[in-house]
Amino acid sequence: MRLIPRLLNRAVHAGWRWVDRAGEIVPGTRAAEEFGSFGAGSCIDFPPATILNASSIHLGERTLVGRQVTLSVGWGTSEQALPPRGLVVGDRCVIGARTSITAHESIEIGDDVFFGQGVFVTDASHGYQVPDRPVGAQFGPSDPVVVGAGSWIGHHAVLLPGTRLGRNVVVAAGSIVRGVVEDHAVVAGNPARVVRRYEPGVGWVGSRGDVRPVLADDLDFLDEAVTG
């Protein structure tokens, strides 16, 4: 590569890295102060997609939100009666890039939850049964969403209104989930169904009766990297 294009390439990438760092939303920035609460050590990567009604959004400590993520509460900027804790994200969570979390009443994400990229979570939907009204204008009732601590939500999964996941639940990539999922379950599909669950004294039992063993917890070396 010729010298001038090489230097320009280097300068562009250095400038981009500077913008990335300068644009992060972290404690002490004006943008972070607009949130209901913004925990120590947490970060929203630059650029975000949409941050709507941040005063109703609460982030725990040491939580990482990837770039191009939407975090929103309510229908718009002019809404007056916002829930004070419309969207709550716990400690030590990871929210993957291009995820969209849209709360109207209540979405609560527990501690140590990991989201893949492009996940969509909402607590409100639309109706369709009024023939002469546009479907997009037929707002349905809100139904709170809860994601239990320690859960893993795969790439491009969708959590619909009324979803309530227990602790340490795995949602397979691309799954569409509604309803209650017990602790220590693996769900997959559209609509998502339990394909494996933990049975004490037996192991991880699949829907066809196959059993995977329980593994010893020998991953302590990861704890500091994940939790700081």
Side-chain angles (χ1 to χ4, degrees), residues 7 69 73-75 97 139 180 217:
L7 292 174
V69 166
V73 176
W75 299 101
F139 302 126
V180 178
D217 186 359

Short mmCIF file of all heavy atoms in Angstrom, two decimals, residues 7 69 73-75 97 139 180 217:
data_model
loop_
_atom_site.label_atom_id
_atom_site.label_comp_id
_atom_site.label_asym_id
_atom_site.label_seq_id
_atom_site.Cartn_x
_atom_site.Cartn_y
_atom_site.Cartn_z
N LEU A 7 -1.31 5.95 5.64
CA LEU A 7 -1.42 6.89 6.76
C LEU A 7 -2.87 7.33 6.97
O LEU A 7 -3.33 7.46 8.11
CB LEU A 7 -0.53 8.11 6.51
CG LEU A 7 0.99 7.85 6.55
CD1 LEU A 7 1.74 9.11 6.16
CD2 LEU A 7 1.42 7.37 7.94
N VAL A 69 -27.96 -0.67 20.21
CA VAL A 69 -29.03 -1.27 21.03
C VAL A 69 -30.11 -0.23 21.31
O VAL A 69 -29.81 0.95 21.55
CB VAL A 69 -28.45 -1.82 22.35
CG1 VAL A 69 -29.55 -2.12 23.35
CG2 VAL A 69 -27.63 -3.08 22.07
N VAL A 73 -38.76 2.96 26.98
CA VAL A 73 -39.93 2.82 27.85
C VAL A 73 -41.00 3.75 27.31
O VAL A 73 -40.75 4.93 27.04
CB VAL A 73 -39.61 3.16 29.31
CG1 VAL A 73 -40.87 3.10 30.16
CG2 VAL A 73 -38.55 2.22 29.87
N GLY A 74 -42.23 3.22 27.17
CA GLY A 74 -43.34 4.05 26.73
C GLY A 74 -43.45 4.13 25.21
O GLY A 74 -42.71 3.47 24.47
N TRP A 75 -44.37 4.98 24.78
CA TRP A 75 -44.68 5.09 23.35
C TRP A 75 -43.96 6.24 22.68
O TRP A 75 -43.81 6.25 21.45
CB TRP A 75 -46.19 5.26 23.17
CG TRP A 75 -46.98 4.12 23.69
CD1 TRP A 75 -47.66 4.05 24.88
CD2 TRP A 75 -47.19 2.84 23.07
NE1 TRP A 75 -48.27 2.82 25.03
CE2 TRP A 75 -48.00 2.06 23.92
CE3 TRP A 75 -46.76 2.29 21.86
CZ2 TRP A 75 -48.40 0.77 23.62
CZ3 TRP A 75 -47.16 0.99 21.56
CH2 TRP A 75 -47.96 0.25 22.42
N ALA A 97 -25.15 -6.57 20.65
CA ALA A 97 -25.37 -5.52 19.66
C ALA A 97 -26.68 -5.71 18.91
O ALA A 97 -27.13 -6.83 18.68
CB ALA A 97 -24.21 -5.50 18.65
N PHE A 139 -53.44 -1.13 19.53
CA PHE A 139 -52.52 -1.44 20.61
C PHE A 139 -53.13 -2.46 21.56
O PHE A 139 -54.25 -2.31 22.02
CB PHE A 139 -52.14 -0.18 21.38
CG PHE A 139 -51.52 0.89 20.52
CD1 PHE A 139 -52.03 2.16 20.50
CD2 PHE A 139 -50.44 0.59 19.71
CE1 PHE A 139 -51.47 3.15 19.70
CE2 PHE A 139 -49.86 1.56 18.91
CZ PHE A 139 -50.38 2.84 18.89
N VAL A 180 -44.54 -19.01 30.64
CA VAL A 180 -43.67 -19.30 31.78
C VAL A 180 -42.73 -20.44 31.43
O VAL A 180 -43.16 -21.48 30.91
CB VAL A 180 -44.50 -19.65 33.03
CG1 VAL A 180 -43.59 -20.00 34.19
CG2 VAL A 180 -45.43 -18.49 33.39
N ASP A 217 -18.43 -27.81 38.54
CA ASP A 217 -18.17 -26.38 38.35
C ASP A 217 -16.68 -26.14 38.51
O ASP A 217 -16.19 -25.82 39.59
CB ASP A 217 -18.97 -25.56 39.37
CG ASP A 217 -18.84 -24.06 39.11
OD1 ASP A 217 -18.12 -23.68 38.16
OD2 ASP A 217 -19.46 -23.29 39.85
#
